[in-house]
């Protein structure tokens, strides 16, 4: 059955209009009007979330697991309608939206199973030693407890997996924290139908209606009101470096500073070592072109930089990548604003000293075509602007004189989500030399692969040193992400009846 948006916010179980509206800008199909968020609505949602915490924060793991699974069921029940409005709004193909929906529901179910097992609570117990000399030891027990209401900002490039019921929301709900989502204006209809699924799951499982709210649209004042609200205890964000840094600073400047878990951007460098370049440089170049242009390059793990030695093997890699990129047609981007930002990013390379154009394309409107540039390591290290993320299918090849310069270049990179090594057996010594540098630069290291595609699993890390993320000790993907919204509490000499149920 087709989905017609209400165009309203969901606040504590009620669909609420606002004083004004904005019109969606779909890639195709019908546009709709949506209510614009306000600081007053933010205040209402946050106060409701705090009230819900007194119940939800003390619910059992099995109750929360059932809730997460119910959300997954309700999303799947709306699968065709979600795909229809998601493709209309984003321009993404149906197969991509269906895969992302499966990832979203799979993540919810993974988190449900994870919290049922209880290991994430990191329970510890030091029994009392009343006879210890020179002083007795009290009975000490520790467990992780939920922190309170969490704010989540929807991402532009993942209408499902990093938005309304995406990783941050799922992790917070799994931890026992109510959530207030600031929806992304690029896909408000997709956000609304997923919020409808969450509301249905709340009704089905008897959870507090105010455990989840969705506020649509609104200017920066609305986002600022959310992160500054005194009842919000943490923020999850996926987006631009500039926007994320502004919100991070607001979190730090609050009377009560709170953690800001922001994933802000990355160029995800790829090192092609000499043995691999000689043996299969052309194949790697072709694979890089495919990864670089997947989804019009609108992935946070897009490998925007490739590092390879000078010489014929490196040249063959570059030529193969350029040839493969020539065959990639213009692709629709998520929004007009993102398409314009891509063109602005490309303009930083046009005519720049010491940057050689290898393949240059222009595209109009909401479309983007691949571009490829080349420079030398010494130029890159002197011109930091070359290392800024360009969100789209743009690649930069950095040529190094030798393996020593490759190591020097590696030390010059900022924090990344991923770093990739392409190597053969003959490259083992060089790879071993690079490893101490690279593992300080990224949260995920790959060998002989491409970083686009983030597996949702216990061992996944999606985060890294700044500016890839604002908290290098956390991940926004995988079960470890739940711990972002917990804090350790120690109970000394407590009678069992007063302990949290999981410590009894």
């Amino acid at each position: 059955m087709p989905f017609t948006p209400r165009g309203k916010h969901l606040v504590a179980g009620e669909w609420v209009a606002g004083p004004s509206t904005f019109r969606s800008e779909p890639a195709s199909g019908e546009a709709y009007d949506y209510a614009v968020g306000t600081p007053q609505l933010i205040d209402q949602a946050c106060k409701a979330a705090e009230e819900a915490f007194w119940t939800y924060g003390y619910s059992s793991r099995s109750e929360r697991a059932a809730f997460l699974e119910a959300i997954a069921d309700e999303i799947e029940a709306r699968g065709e309608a979600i795909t229809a409005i998601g493709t209309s709004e984003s321009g993404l193909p149906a197969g991509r939206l269906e895969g992302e929906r499966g990832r979203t529901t799979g993540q919810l179910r993974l988190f449900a199973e994870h919290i049922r097992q209880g290991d994430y609570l990191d329970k510890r117990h030091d029994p009392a030693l009343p006879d210890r000399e020179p002083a007795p030891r009290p009975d000490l027990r520790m467990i992780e407890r939920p922190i309170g209401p969490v704010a989540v900002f929807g991402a532009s490039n993942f209408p499902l997996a990093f938005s309304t019921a995406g990783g941050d929301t799922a992790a917070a709900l799994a931890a026992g924290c109510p959530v207030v989502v600031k929806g992304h204006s690029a896909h408000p209809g997709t956000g609304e139908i997923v919020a409808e699924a969450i509301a249905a799951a709340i009704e089905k499982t008897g959870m507090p209606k105010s455990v989840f709210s969705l506020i649509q649209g609104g200017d920066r004042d609305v986002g600022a009101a959310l992160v500054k609200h005194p009842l919000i205890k943490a923020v999850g964000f996926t987006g631009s470096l500039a926007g994320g840094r502004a919100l991070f600073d607001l979190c730090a400047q609050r009377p009560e500073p709170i953690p800001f878990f922001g994933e802000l951007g990355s160029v995800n460098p790829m090192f092609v070592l000499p043995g691999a370049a000689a043996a299969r440089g052309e194949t790697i170049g072709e694979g890089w072109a495919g990864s670089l242009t997947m989804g019009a390059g609108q992935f946070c793990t897009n490998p925007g930089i490739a590092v390879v030695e000078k010489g014929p093997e490196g040249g063959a890699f570059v030529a193969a990548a350029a040839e493969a990129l020539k065959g990639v047609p213009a692709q629709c981007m998520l929004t007009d604003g993102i398409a314009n930002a891509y063109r602005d990013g490309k303009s930083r390379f046009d005519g720049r000293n010491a940057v050689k154009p290898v393949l240059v394309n222009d595209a109009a409107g909401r479309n983007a075509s691949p571009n490829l540039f080349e420079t030398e390591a010494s130029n890159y290290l002197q011109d930091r602007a070359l290392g800024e993320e360009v969100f789209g299918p743009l690649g930069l090849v950095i040529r190094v004189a030798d393996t020593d310069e490759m190591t020097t270049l590696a030390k010059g990179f900022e924090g990344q989500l991923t770093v990739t090594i392409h190597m053969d057996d003959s490259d083992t010594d060089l790879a071993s030399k690079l490893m101490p540098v690279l593992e300080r630069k990224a949260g995920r290291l790959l060998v002989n692969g491409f970083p686009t595609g983030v597996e949702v699993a216990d061992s996944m890390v999606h985060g890294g040193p700044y500016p890839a993320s604002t908290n290098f000790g956390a991940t926004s993907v995988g079960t470890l992400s739940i711990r972002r919204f917990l804090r350790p509490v120690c109970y000394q000499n407590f009678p069992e009846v007063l302990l949290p149920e999981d410590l009894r």
Side-chain angles (χ1 to χ4, degrees):
M1 182 174 180
F3 172 71
T4 301
R6 302 172 180 80
K8 296 181 178 181
H9 315 285
L10 177 63
V11 180
E14 302 294 331
W15 294 99
V16 180
S20 60
T21 62
F22 70 97
R23 196 157 185 82
S24 65
E25 299 179 356
S28 62
E30 189 173 354
Y32 296 95
D33 291 327
Y34 294 88
V36 174
T38 65
Q40 292 74 26
L41 283 168
I42 291 290
D43 180 61
Q44 183 180 340
C46 292
K47 287 177 178 176
E50 173 69 10
E51 188 61 32
F53 181 68
W54 298 116
T55 301
Y56 188 72
Y58 297 87
S59 60
S60 69
R61 289 182 284 113
S62 61
E63 288 172 331
R64 293 198 302 278
F67 177 40
L68 294 175
E69 289 168 339
I71 296 173
D73 292 343
E74 293 294 338
I75 288 173
E76 288 177 346
R78 294 161 176 75
E80 290 186 9
I82 288 173
T83 298
I85 195 161
T87 54
S88 169
E89 290 182 324
S90 68
L92 295 170
R96 157 69 193 274
L97 263 296
E98 289 163 1
E100 191 181 329
R101 188 178 75 243
R103 169 178 168 164
T104 304
T105 57
Q107 184 166 246
L108 287 160
R109 293 194 171 103
L110 173 66
F111 286 3
E113 182 59 29
H114 185 73
I115 63 173
R116 278 196 180 99
Q117 294 169 0
D119 294 344
Y120 75 104
L121 295 170
D122 197 17
K123 292 182 288 185
R124 306 180 187 204
H125 182 203
D126 292 298
L129 298 175
D131 299 325
R132 189 184 67 175
E133 296 293 344
R137 183 177 75 188
D139 184 84
L140 300 170
R141 299 171 189 253
M142 192 211 82
I143 193 170
E144 299 279 353
R145 300 295 292 157
I147 60 174
V150 170
V152 172
F153 285 75
S156 64
N157 59 334
F158 280 88
L160 299 172
F162 280 87
S163 290
T164 310
D168 288 340
T169 297
L173 292 176
C177 299
V179 175
V180 178
V181 171
K182 169 69 167 61
H184 200 288
S185 58
H187 41 77
T190 310
E192 183 183 312
I193 192 172
V194 173
E196 180 185 271
I198 297 173
I202 289 171
E203 188 72 25
K204 180 188 292 185
T205 59
M207 289 296 175
K209 292 182 182 295
S210 51
V211 75
F212 173 85
S213 292
L214 170 70
I215 306 297
Q216 298 272 32
D219 57 19
R220 292 183 179 179
D221 288 345
V222 177
L226 182 56
V227 301
K228 290 165 64 177
H229 198 284
L231 296 176
I232 292 296
K233 299 304 179 184
V235 177
F237 173 89
T238 299
S240 69
L241 175 59
R245 183 56 199 247
L247 295 177
F248 173 83
D249 290 344
L250 287 178
C251 286
Q253 293 163 6
R254 288 173 33 140
E256 178 202 357
I258 59 172
F260 179 83
F261 299 104
E263 190 250 279
L264 308 184
S266 183
V267 294
N268 305 294
M270 191 178 78
F271 290 78
V272 184
L273 305 194
R280 50 195 170 85
E282 294 182 4
T283 301
I284 298 171
E286 293 168 358
W288 181 44
S291 183
L292 192 67
T293 56
M294 182 184 296
Q298 298 169 112
F299 290 96
C300 44
T301 54
N302 192 37
I305 287 180
V307 180
V308 65
E309 281 191 340
K310 298 175 183 178
E313 290 86 359
F317 163 82
V318 177
E323 188 62 29
L325 291 172
K326 286 179 184 177
V328 178
Q331 296 172 275
C332 179
M333 301 201 83
L334 292 159
T335 67
D336 291 325
I338 289 173
N340 290 332
Y342 174 68
R343 284 188 281 272
D344 289 343
K346 171 187 171 289
S347 69
R348 297 203 309 263
F349 294 82
D350 292 332
R352 201 178 196 93
N353 290 336
V355 175
K356 171 187 172 184
V358 179
L359 175 69
V360 177
N361 283 305
D362 291 305
R366 194 159 162 171
N367 291 327
S369 293
N371 288 275
L372 183 62
F373 297 89
E374 183 179 324
T375 193
E376 296 186 3
S378 57
N379 299 323
Y380 179 88
L381 292 171
Q382 293 172 11
D383 190 351
R384 308 307 298 182
L386 296 176
E388 296 175 9
E389 180 187 29
V390 178
F391 196 60
L394 183 146
L396 175 66
V397 179
I398 303 177
R399 304 294 290 271
V400 295
D402 51 33
T403 58
D404 286 339
E405 190 171 43
M406 185 176 285
T407 303
T408 300
L409 176 64
K411 292 178 180 178
F413 279 116
E414 294 183 309
Q416 306 291 332
L417 294 172
T418 75
V419 171
T420 300
I421 300 173
H422 287 275
M423 60 175 288
D424 281 359
D425 289 344
S426 61
D427 296 312
T428 300
D429 287 345
L430 175 56
S432 297
K433 183 180 179 182
L434 286 169
M435 278 301 297
V437 179
L438 300 185
E439 65 183 14
R440 293 183 66 186
K441 297 294 181 179
R444 177 163 59 112
L445 306 179
L446 300 83
V447 169
N448 294 336
F450 298 96
T452 38
V454 181
E455 190 70 28
V456 179
D458 287 324
S459 52
M460 176 53 64
V461 173
H462 190 64
Y466 186 85
S469 60
T470 55
N471 192 314
F472 60 78
T475 174
S476 61
V477 177
T479 53
L480 185 63
S481 66
I482 297 171
R483 298 204 183 192
R484 294 175 298 168
F485 306 119
L486 299 166
R487 64 182 183 88
V489 179
C490 177
Y491 301 83
Q492 182 171 325
N493 287 339
F494 259 61
E496 187 163 309
V497 69
L498 291 180
L499 287 169
E501 184 177 348
D502 286 314
L503 267 181
R504 296 175 190 174

